[in-house]
Amino acid sequence: MALQFEHVAPHQRVLFGSGTAAAHLAAEASRLDALRAMLISSPRDSTMARNLAAGVPVVLDYHGVAQHVPSAKAVAARDAASSHDVDLLIAVGGGSAIGLAKAIALTTGLPIIAVPTSYAGSEATDVWGITEQSRKSTGVDDRVLPSAVIYDVTLTYSLPVRLSVTSGLNAMAHCIDALWAPRANPINAALASEGMGLLARGLPAVSATPSGSHGREQALCGAYLAAASFASAGAGLHHKICHVLGGTFNLPHAEVHAVVLPHVTAFNVPTAPDAGRRIATALASSEALAGLTALYEALDAPSALRDLGFNEDQIPAAAKLILPTVPPSNPRRVGTADLERLLHAAWAGTNPAQSGA
């Protein structure tokens, strides 16, 4: 069969360099003719954010950040942006800070400059997510894609090793999900493969030598490639599962992705041999799941949803909510029993191979 596909690449400036974030931020704000910027960060990152934005005309320093972007937080932030006549959003931090900026941009069209301090990847996608009444809604909109992303490895040093590992495995999930997502194509697969390789080399280096820069640079570059592949390919089975677990049961975002990923991989790889080969090659292994397992062991990664606050008796309800969201493009047919078996294995932290039975 002749090769045929459509690929849409995001229109975005990416600036990468150690110790360059403040200068790049001031230059980008000037390029956008910003006069009244809103600086968004968590309380933990607020001092760093203010220092970075010293050369930018900030009129509002905002810290109402929460994971999964609760709708009330989104409304309050939009009101604050409006009342201060903001013309630029600057998000400094992880996925929660960038997610809040996206929630504002979704209704206002304001440009975003994202300065990530983790490997979450939200900065490189046009995907938004807002949670209301324990249900997380997601969508795609050009308005929420940051105009520019500023990567600076020195900003990741404050991220503890444990969070670096889970954030990096969240990025790995972007890569793997992109291989069988609704708009998967050879370009996405190439980006995902390179991203997986960088993350697989970078994360163990970060874990072993937290003060070293090389591993963090590899992981940060890998995280961008992961997000770029995911942004084009769309959300696959893994992300549909994690959106329900995070939004409905308020579980920690990165940790949930880290725990669930091996189980989705084990479930799909038997019917997606090309994806399996790509994963195995990127992880320098003879087999995809074996490579992923070895990486998790090297990183001492989290392995059980029960350790994150998810209860066994919540599995049927979660499976019921996930099932209607499963993309038709998934390489393997998915039923309620499949989801319950996968979730139970992830809850208990048992061998991921059982999820593919």
Side-chain angles (χ1 to χ4, degrees):
M1 180 180 293
L3 188 63
Q4 182 175 334
F5 62 89
E6 178 181 349
H7 178 76
V8 179
H11 180 68
Q12 183 180 68
R13 288 169 61 85
V14 178
L15 301 105
F16 198 109
S18 180
T20 60
H24 280 154
L25 180 56
E28 285 303 294
S30 176
R31 185 180 68 85
L32 294 169
D33 296 322
L35 298 175
R36 301 183 62 82
M38 178 177 182
L39 181 62
I40 301 169
S41 67
S42 69
R44 183 178 73 89
D45 291 331
S46 60
T47 299
M48 175 178 64
R50 281 194 295 270
N51 290 337
L52 287 175
V56 178
V58 174
V59 297
L60 178 59
D61 192 359
Y62 197 82
H63 308 300
V65 172
Q67 68 172 354
H68 307 303
V69 192
S71 60
K73 294 279 189 180
V75 170
R78 290 165 180 165
D79 289 345
S82 176
S83 65
H84 285 78
D85 196 21
V86 166
D87 60 6
L88 173 66
L89 306 170
I90 300 171
V92 179
S96 296
I98 296 169
L100 185 62
K102 287 182 171 185
I104 301 170
L106 182 64
T107 58
T108 64
L110 289 169
I112 302 171
I113 299 176
V115 188
T117 60
S118 73
Y119 310 118
S122 178
E123 67 277 0
T125 79
D126 55 0
V127 178
W128 58 268
I130 297 175
T131 302
E132 184 171 13
Q133 296 180 343
S134 298
R135 296 291 184 271
K136 187 170 184 176
S137 299
T138 61
V140 174
D141 195 299
D142 289 343
R143 290 175 295 181
V144 309
L145 179 71
S147 301
V149 183
I150 296 171
Y151 289 109
D152 185 335
V153 69
T154 64
L155 304 182
T156 69
Y157 285 112
S158 62
L159 192 66
V161 169
R162 185 71 171 174
L163 289 180
S164 295
V165 165
T166 54
S167 180
L169 292 176
N170 180 12
M172 184 69 75
H174 289 16
C175 294
I176 292 178
D177 222 24
L179 298 177
W180 43 58
R183 299 185 300 277
N185 65 48
I187 297 176
N188 298 330
L191 293 172
S193 296
E194 181 66 15
M196 280 188 283
L198 286 167
L199 289 163
R201 295 188 294 274
L203 292 176
V206 171
S207 183
T209 312
S211 60
S213 62
H214 183 61
R216 290 180 180 273
E217 286 182 339
Q218 286 187 306
L220 204 54
C221 189
Y224 172 75
L225 292 175
S229 64
F230 170 73
S232 180
L237 176 62
H238 171 87
H239 279 79
K240 297 303 184 180
I241 291 172
C242 292
H243 285 162
V244 168
L245 293 178
T248 302
F249 303 99
N250 197 33
L251 303 182
H253 182 82
E255 289 87 341
V256 166
H257 280 270
V259 170
V260 170
L261 179 59
H263 298 277
V264 174
T265 302
F267 182 82
N268 270 347
V269 157
T271 51
D274 182 62
R277 284 190 291 270
R278 284 185 175 275
I279 297 167
T281 299
L283 301 185
S285 175
S286 60
E287 193 271 329
L289 189 57
L292 202 57
T293 300
L295 178 63
Y296 272 58
E297 290 175 351
L299 296 174
D300 190 25
S303 60
L305 291 176
R306 63 182 174 185
D307 295 335
L308 307 180
F310 186 62
N311 299 325
E312 186 177 16
D313 61 8
Q314 294 172 320
I315 290 174
K320 184 178 180 180
L321 290 170
I322 294 165
L323 186 62
T325 72
V326 175
S329 63
N330 195 65
R332 181 174 173 181
R333 187 177 179 87
V334 182
T336 301
D338 298 313
L339 290 171
E340 289 187 358
R341 182 172 60 251
L342 187 156
L343 289 171
H344 195 276
W347 169 82
T350 55
N351 187 339
Q354 296 182 19
S355 301

